[in-house]
Amino acid sequence: MPPHGRRRASLLPVLLFLLSCLLPLALAVPSVIGIDIGTENLKAVLVKPGIPLDIVLAKDSKRKEPAVLAFKPGNAQASSSQLEFPERLWGSDAVAIASRFPGDVYANLKPLLGVQASREHFVATHQSRYPGMTVTATKDRNTVCMKSETFMTDEEPFTVEELLGMQLQNVRANAEAMAGAGTTVRDAVVTIPPYFTAEEKRAVQTAAELAGLKILAMTTDGLAVGLNYATSRTFPVVNEGAEPEYHMVFDMGAGSATATILRFQGRKVKDVGKYNKTIQEVQVVGAGWDRTLGGDALNAVILEDLVAKLAEHKQMKAEGTSLADIKKHGRTMAKLWKEVQRMRQVLSANTETQATFEGLYHSDLVFKYKISRAHFEKLAADFEVRVANPITQALAMAKLELKDIESVILHGGAQRTPFVQKALETAVGSADKLKTNVNSDEAAAFGAAFKAAGLVPSFRVKEIRTSEAATFPASMAWTVEGKDKHQTLFGSNSLAAKEKQVPFQFKEDFSFVLSQQVSGGLDGPWVIPISTVSTTNLTAAVKELKDKYGCEPADIKTQLSVGLSSMNGLPEATRGSVSCEAVEAKKGGVMDGVKGMFGFGKKDDQQSLNEKDAEPSSAEAEISSSISTSSDAKATDAKAEKIEEPKIKTQTVYVGLKSAEAGQPSITTAELQRIKDRMKAFDQSDKNRKLREEALNSLEGYTYKIRDIIEDSGFIAASSQKDRDQIEKKAREAGDWIYGDGADAKLEDFQDRLKELKKLVDPIALRKDEATLRPEKLEHLKSTLNQTKVMLEGLFKEHEEKKVAVASSSASLSSIAAESSASAASAASEASASPSTTDPASVLSSSLKDELEDLDDSPAIPISSDIDADPNADAETIHMTLGPDGASSDSDFLEIEQPVYKDEELAEYQGKYEALAKWYNEKAAAQEKLKPTDTPAVLVSELTKKADEVQNLIVDVVTKQMANFGTKGRGGGKKKSSSTKSKSKSKKTKTKGKGKGKGKKTESAEESVTGSESVAGSEPVTATESEEGTSTTAAVTTIIKDEL
């Protein structure tokens, strides 16, 4: 306990403040996703506490969702100025309407990301497969965008970033639905192919931003697969002399084929304290690719053959339909494209397949097509030789040979094609090297999700450090005295997250450009500017070195740090500095500075306080002179020895850098905001459409429900024939309206129709339900009121009896007290006249005992032994000594049982009962007069409420009774207290209680005796007794409520 006069500071406010700060963090559930952005499909994996690495299911519960978005046209063309937009469909739902609305179904967008409309190969290839789509170019950036036929002609076209952003937004919505209510998904790691340039990476980043996602990192497909491969394995520790493992990931999907060579190794690193730990490392050392070798290219081979045979059909020839006409027909090509995808997959497991088309191009045309695996492989012979090219490129970049590769990990759907498997066996030299030890469809998504979890501190995962390769060489260019300079900084296999120090001779602010040297493309090598970097304070920094440290311009060095970003692998300037070597300024100690501040100076500068005031004598001067001469000589020699060489130190001033995107212009802020506003309008339109559909379904379902309602016997009893005929008529009109004019109705129209029907049905349904439940509720309330009446009558009777008994006992006790006082006075006078050893108190005690023995069965008041006899004392507070010889002893107690309730309380109880009984009688009588079809006079809810009021009245009465019983049960007498002892003692106390015949004595060993005098009738209650009384009352109250 703190000393008196001091209070310990309360920690409660501090704890509450900390709780308020930490609670939002605790409630914020972290969730991240890894997204594999494929050409044909999108796959995502969610990481959340309680859901470790689980695939995100599409709305149709499939583990992957087609990367397709569609605008389902309405009855009229839409515009951004309108509140209602076309319905958006994703995945399988979008694919299903491709043949009906080929101009508004957007598929295979990945190859068009960041691509300029001038790159004809990409645009032409896409349009040959999806001729129904209208491809155009953006105004400012000249990138590919799509024009929708659903919107008016003046509507801005949709950029590829916007369309992909909508798809990612849908993936995010599925992930949040899977994670549960209250969970928000914001952070993501996405996969990209190794050949993506800076422009394509920025397009992905823009699409993610539009979807509300923050990209933690971009990882190549091969590295994501390798990371998933490494999660369940350990590798040789290279800093203990072991050799790393090299594996190749061959990924052939719908759009392209890539080969990525990875180095897997373990490494001992420093851990916390003196301990070491072993981590795993996965590094990209080489990559190769073919941007157009994939499942879509193989589908196109079958499509060309199918269209050629369709053009030879006799009906097509008769109609004069040419091959070019078929290829331009959007609906026909959409049907054919969907079917050839299925046929190629079937040929991977079967030797032949066929398809039948009805209403193709012409409504009455029936066309059958059959193809064998052998014929398909003959058509795709040119593609078979291209399978080995990515492998050769990757080995060349990594400077390795096939014998150095331990296995080839297969990933992607197209690699399952039989001739691709054969080509791979030939390329790697043995089928044993081909491994299917990862999920070929989901490994990249799981690897991306694992990387995302490792980047968020909220998750603790196996420590695997990954490193991307630059893929394309990175360089910087600048101009000096009108001459262009160029320097390559990173090679194609340089690892990301590493920096290079680049020296310059500039002494004034300058700028330079960071670029990518892209090669291996279809339209030849070219340089892509990434960013323009400018120094902001180089001139001022050089001046500072000159003025502050005396540096010569020739000695000043300018140096910049350039590295590959760990987020997207692009080169970036991280920091800059200028430096020179200069003499280090001598600094005084802390004490010297303090002394100088107060005017004391250094020790060598201090003089004796008496030195200026007293002049030395001549003798003292001579002695002092001789001593001073010798000491000065020694000091001079010592100082000469202590002279040190000046210290040379490199002085550095940091230089600020400002970076701006270069090359292809990014989407402007205004354009980005316009796109976000349109996406929000789409979201609101989808929400309104969903509410409208729910209202329509509710109305339609209610019209069918009414058919059953009006035939129910209870409903018939509670309604008239006229009411039922009117309801049936309104329901029939609503049903006809739904399938007629209501097809284009608004949300409010459906809601109004439903309200109109419910307005007719609900009152009758209420009467039906009330008629079923009311009798039981009325009987219950009546029974409860009768019980309450009987209870109150008993209480009134008992109360009057107790009042009479108390009055009689008080009168008898007053008479006895008066006689005892007179006897005591007489004995006192006799004692004063003739001294005696007899104690007056003993005489009084003896007389009282005799007279009180007859009151055993009567109510009594407590009599204590610690009060002087006072003739004027009240009868209820008389204290008399009962012990022999005046000695203190245990007391016998006699109680008067007082009335439990006051007159006002009983009157209040009676008033509540009478009001409730009157209400019941009035309502019951009124209800008896009504017909089943009339509005009820009393509702079941009202009866329930009144029954609760009666129950509460009974509980109040019984609770007070039990509280009085608990007080009496703890003991009716006073415990003896002593004024000479300051400490409390525990003792047994005898209690005489009221009962039949003689009172029964009980003993209690838990009552405490207070150290101060107490007045009779106000005995202190211990904590133990109080808790017992409270718990007993609460328990009885609960039982009463349950019984009622």
Side-chain angles (χ1 to χ4, degrees):
M1 182 174 181
H4 293 292
R6 290 173 53 194
R7 289 193 175 183
R8 188 175 299 158
S10 176
L11 294 178
L12 183 59
V14 179
L15 294 176
L16 291 176
F17 173 75
L18 293 176
L19 182 62
S20 64
C21 294
L22 297 177
L23 187 60
L25 298 177
L27 295 178
V29 181
S31 299
V32 295
I33 52 173
I35 305 176
D36 180 15
I37 302 178
T39 304
E40 183 179 355
N41 296 297
L42 289 172
K43 295 174 283 290
V45 172
L46 174 69
V47 185
K48 177 195 171 184
I51 307 180
L53 295 175
D54 199 1
I55 198 78
V56 176
L57 301 179
K59 289 182 174 64
D60 55 0
S61 299
K62 293 183 179 180
R63 297 178 67 87
K64 60 183 178 180
E65 187 167 53
V68 184
L69 168 68
F71 298 153
K72 187 177 180 180
N75 295 331
Q77 286 186 319
S79 172
S80 291
S81 59
Q82 299 175 355
L83 297 177
E84 186 173 353
F85 277 61
E87 181 181 2
R88 289 182 298 181
L89 301 177
W90 287 276
S92 301
D93 294 337
V95 173
I97 67 170
S99 59
R100 294 172 55 198
F101 310 105
D104 285 295
V105 179
Y106 307 98
N108 290 34
L109 298 174
K110 184 178 176 179
L112 300 178
L113 282 169
V115 174
Q116 292 191 342
S118 57
R119 299 179 70 180
E120 297 178 357
H121 173 80
F122 293 95
V123 177
T125 300
H126 193 272
Q127 287 225 275
S128 66
R129 297 169 183 174
Y130 306 98
M133 297 175 61
T134 304
V135 180
T136 181
T138 56
K139 297 178 181 178
D140 300 330
R141 301 185 301 138
N142 195 37
T143 55
V144 175
C145 58
M146 310 289 181
K147 192 75 175 176
S148 173
E149 297 178 357
T150 306
F151 286 84
M152 295 182 178
T153 54
D154 60 346
E155 182 69 18
E156 291 290 335
F158 292 85
T159 64
V160 179
E161 293 90 336
E162 183 177 1
L163 297 173
L164 179 60
M166 292 183 183
Q167 294 181 9
L168 295 178
Q169 187 182 40
N170 178 59
V171 171
R172 184 185 136 208
N174 293 339
E176 290 178 345
M178 179 178 173
T183 303
T184 302
V185 177
R186 286 286 182 268
D187 299 328
V189 169
V190 299
T191 64
I192 56 173
Y195 53 78
F196 258 26
T197 64
E199 296 167 346
E200 292 164 310
K201 290 179 180 179
R202 286 173 180 167
V204 172
Q205 197 163 352
T206 301
E209 180 183 351
L210 293 172
L213 291 171
K214 175 187 176 183
I215 294 185
L216 300 176
M218 295 181 185
T219 181
T220 56
D221 299 317
L223 181 58
V225 174
L227 182 56
N228 178 248
Y229 176 80
T231 54
S232 58
R233 294 169 174 83
T234 57
F235 304 99
V237 180
V238 292
N239 52 357
E240 290 183 350
E243 294 294 329
E245 295 181 6
Y246 291 95
H247 298 266
M248 177 187 293
V249 176
F250 185 85
D251 182 7
M252 187 171 177
S256 62
T258 63
T260 306
I261 298 178
L262 304 172
R263 178 166 56 217
F264 296 88
Q265 61 191 22
R267 185 181 297 276
K268 290 277 187 180
V269 296
K270 192 73 174 176
D271 200 2
V272 179
K274 299 180 180 179
Y275 300 98
N276 293 331
K277 63 179 179 180
T278 301
I279 64 168
Q280 308 300 314
E281 294 180 339
V282 184
Q283 300 172 347
V284 177
V285 295
W289 58 85
D290 188 328
R291 294 189 66 140
T292 60
L293 177 62
D296 284 350
L298 302 181
N299 295 338
V301 169
I302 301 176
L303 181 66
E304 287 291 333
D305 184 63
L306 193 156
V307 171
K309 291 183 178 180
L310 176 61
E312 295 295 324
H313 192 275
K314 59 182 180 180
Q315 187 173 347
M316 300 294 285
K317 286 185 176 182
E319 296 287 342
T321 305
S322 65
L323 182 64
D325 294 334
I326 297 174
K327 289 184 176 182
K328 291 179 181 180
H329 196 263
R331 292 188 176 184
T332 299
M333 294 299 291
K335 287 182 181 180
L336 296 178
W337 182 259
K338 181 179 178 181
E339 190 61 26
V340 297
Q341 283 182 309
R342 183 195 66 82
M343 295 174 71
R344 180 183 62 80
Q345 294 171 1
V346 171
L347 288 176
S348 297
N350 299 275
T351 56
E352 64 179 15
T353 185
Q354 63 180 2
T356 302
F357 303 92
E358 296 181 358
L360 192 64
Y361 199 87
H362 297 293
S363 58
D364 57 345
L365 176 66
V366 178
F367 175 69
K368 293 183 179 181
Y369 176 74
K370 185 176 182 179
I371 185 173
S372 64
R373 182 191 293 177
H375 183 58
F376 167 59
E377 292 179 352
K378 181 180 178 181
L379 295 173
D382 294 339
F383 294 94
E384 184 174 358
V385 297
R386 293 168 55 183
V387 172
N389 292 340
I391 298 176
T392 304
Q393 295 174 17
L395 290 172
M397 183 184 294
K399 299 178 181 179
L400 296 173
E401 298 180 0
L402 274 173
K403 63 180 181 180
D404 300 322
I405 306 300
E406 297 195 17
S407 70
V408 178
I409 304 170
L410 300 180
H411 188 263
Q415 53 84 20
R416 300 188 185 99
T417 307
F419 81 83
V420 174
Q421 292 276 334
K422 294 178 182 178
L424 285 173
E425 292 177 9
T426 303
V428 301
S430 172
D432 296 336
K433 277 195 174 184
L434 302 179
K435 302 294 182 182
T436 56
N437 43 16
V438 298
N439 187 322
S440 59
D441 289 324
E442 301 173 355
F446 275 97
F450 187 89
K451 185 177 181 65
L455 293 174
V456 176
S458 303
F459 298 99
R460 184 177 180 181
V461 297
K462 179 181 178 181
E463 188 169 358
I464 304 177
R465 299 180 183 178
T466 59
S467 298
E468 291 277 5
T471 306
F472 298 115
S475 61
M476 66 186 305
W478 66 98
T479 303
V480 179
E481 297 178 353
K483 296 182 179 180
D484 294 333
K485 300 290 183 179
H486 179 273
Q487 180 178 349
T488 300
L489 301 177
F490 302 100
S492 56
N493 57 355
S494 297
L495 297 180
K498 290 188 177 181
E499 295 183 348
K500 281 192 175 182
Q501 309 302 322
V502 184
F504 288 93
Q505 298 299 322
F506 289 103
K507 303 299 184 294
E508 295 180 351
D509 288 311
F510 73 106
S511 61
F512 58 93
V513 177
L514 296 174
S515 306
Q516 262 186 343
Q517 300 174 12
V518 179
S519 59
L522 297 173
D523 38 10
W526 74 100
V527 175
I528 299 179
I530 297 174
S531 61
T532 300
V533 183
S534 304
T535 60
T536 58
N537 63 331
L538 176 59
T539 305
V542 172
K543 186 176 184 300
E544 181 179 348
L545 289 179
K546 293 178 181 179
D547 297 343
K548 189 173 181 179
Y549 302 104
C551 297
E552 295 295 332
D555 299 331
I556 297 177
K557 299 178 181 178
T558 303
Q559 187 170 267
L560 299 180
S561 297
V562 182
L564 296 175
S565 171
S566 58
M567 195 278 284
N568 54 22
L570 299 178
E572 59 180 2
T574 56
R575 60 183 180 274
S577 64
V578 289
S579 61
C580 71
E581 293 184 349
V583 177
E584 182 179 10
K586 189 175 182 181
K587 296 181 181 181
V590 176
M591 290 305 299
D592 293 337
V594 174
K595 291 176 180 179
M597 181 176 64
F598 287 100
F600 294 112
K602 299 181 181 179
K603 290 182 179 180
D604 298 339
D605 301 330
Q606 296 179 12
Q607 296 180 354
S608 174
L609 294 176
N610 299 325
E611 187 176 336
K612 297 181 180 180
D613 300 334
E615 290 291 336
S617 63
S618 59
E620 291 173 344
E622 291 178 1
I623 297 173
S624 175
S625 177
S626 63
I627 294 174
S628 175
T629 302
S630 61
S631 61
D632 290 343
K634 292 180 180 179
T636 302
D637 296 338
K639 288 182 179 179
E641 293 177 358
K642 291 183 179 179
I643 294 176
E644 298 179 357
E645 292 290 333
K647 291 184 178 180
I648 303 299
K649 182 181 179 180
T650 301
Q651 305 294 340
T652 303
V653 178
Y654 290 100
V655 176
L657 301 176
K658 182 180 179 181
S659 181
E661 289 185 0
Q664 181 174 291
S666 298
I667 299 179
T668 62
T669 304
E671 179 70 6
L672 195 64
Q673 187 60 47
R674 184 193 64 79
I675 293 174
K676 288 182 179 181
D677 292 341
R678 184 161 64 178
M679 290 180 66
K680 288 180 181 178
F682 262 110
D683 294 339
Q684 186 62 44
S685 178
D686 290 343
K687 182 179 178 180
N688 294 338
R689 183 178 294 103
K690 183 179 179 181
L691 293 175
R692 179 186 177 279
E693 291 174 354
E694 291 175 353
L696 187 152
N697 293 335
S698 298
L699 177 59
E700 185 178 19
Y702 200 71
T703 58
Y704 287 109
K705 183 180 178 181
I706 285 177
R707 299 176 185 178
D708 298 329
I709 288 177
I710 60 179
E711 296 178 0
D712 181 73
S713 58
F715 191 86
I716 293 174
S719 62
S720 64
Q721 185 63 43
K722 181 180 178 181
D723 293 337
R724 293 192 295 275
D725 291 343
Q726 184 181 9
I727 292 172
E728 185 177 9
K729 178 183 177 182
K730 289 291 184 181
R732 185 170 55 255
E733 290 176 356
D736 295 340
W737 176 80
I738 289 174
Y739 302 110
D741 297 338
D744 300 324
K746 298 180 180 180
L747 170 65
E748 294 77 11
D749 297 333
F750 294 106
Q751 292 175 339
D752 292 341
R753 291 268 181 171
L754 184 61
K755 288 179 181 178
E756 185 179 0
L757 286 175
K758 287 188 175 182
K759 187 177 180 180
L760 298 175
V761 175
D762 287 350
I764 302 175
L766 176 63
R767 293 200 295 268
K768 171 195 168 187
D769 296 338
E770 290 286 327
T772 303
L773 300 175
R774 189 187 309 108
E776 180 183 353
K777 293 292 183 180
L778 283 171
E779 184 62 30
H780 173 67
L781 180 56
K782 180 181 179 181
S783 174
T784 307
L785 286 170
N786 290 335
Q787 294 175 13
T788 306
K789 179 181 179 182
V790 172
M791 181 187 68
L792 290 177
E793 289 175 351
L795 287 179
F796 273 98
K797 182 179 180 181
E798 182 181 358
H799 181 71
E800 293 300 326
E801 291 175 352
K802 287 184 178 181
K803 287 172 63 178
V804 173
V806 169
S808 176
S809 299
S810 298
S812 300
L813 193 56
S814 297
S815 176
I816 295 172
E819 294 176 3
S820 299
S821 299
S823 300
S826 177
S829 62
E830 291 176 1
S832 61
S834 58
S836 175
T837 58
T838 304
D839 189 353
S842 178
V843 175
L844 178 61
S845 175
S846 177
S847 63
L848 274 177
K849 283 186 177 180
D850 295 336
E851 295 180 10
L852 293 177
E853 282 180 354
D854 297 332
L855 297 177
D856 184 49
D857 294 333
S858 302
I861 61 173
I863 300 176
S864 178
S865 60
D866 293 337
I867 192 168
D868 297 332
D870 184 1
N872 300 320
D874 186 83
E876 293 186 1
T877 58
I878 293 178
H879 294 242
M880 308 189 78
T881 302
L882 301 180
D885 301 327
S888 181
S889 65
D890 289 348
S891 303
D892 292 334
F893 298 91
L894 299 174
E895 295 181 350
I896 296 177
E897 188 173 358
Q898 299 288 340
V900 177
Y901 306 96
K902 297 179 181 179
D903 294 342
E904 301 82 27
E905 293 176 333
L906 288 176
E908 182 184 355
Y909 295 152
Q910 183 67 23
K912 289 182 178 179
Y913 163 75
E914 291 176 354
L916 290 169
K918 180 182 179 182
W919 181 89
Y920 169 79
N921 293 330
E922 292 176 353
K923 293 296 183 181
Q927 186 62 42
E928 284 291 330
K929 300 177 182 179
L930 298 178
K931 299 177 181 179
T933 57
D934 294 336
T935 302
V938 59
L939 300 177
V940 171
S941 59
E942 295 175 330
L943 293 172
T944 303
K945 181 180 179 181
K946 294 299 181 181
D948 291 340
E949 292 181 15
V950 178
Q951 175 181 327
N952 293 335
L953 174 59
I954 296 175
V955 170
D956 290 344
V957 174
V958 177
T959 300
K960 187 169 182 65
Q961 180 77 21
M962 293 306 302
N964 179 73
F965 173 78
T967 303
K968 190 178 74 171
R970 289 192 297 269
K974 290 304 296 175
K975 291 171 284 293
K976 178 181 177 182
S977 62
S978 174
S979 60
T980 61
K981 297 182 180 180
S982 60
K983 296 183 179 179
S984 299
K985 298 181 179 179
S986 297
K987 60 186 296 182
K988 296 183 179 180
T989 306
K990 297 180 180 180
T991 304
K992 180 178 287 187
K994 175 72 177 175
K996 295 180 180 180
K998 295 184 179 181
K1000 185 177 180 181
K1001 296 181 180 180
T1002 60
E1003 294 183 354
S1004 174
E1006 296 182 2
E1007 296 179 341
S1008 63
V1009 181
T1010 62
S1012 60
E1013 294 186 1
S1014 58
V1015 180
S1018 60
E1019 127 183 287
V1021 181
T1022 63
T1024 301
E1025 293 169 341
S1026 178
E1027 292 170 0
E1028 289 176 354
T1030 303
S1031 61
T1032 302
T1033 303
V1036 173
T1037 301
T1038 303
I1039 293 173
I1040 293 170
K1041 287 185 176 181
D1042 293 341
E1043 291 296 330
L1044 290 176

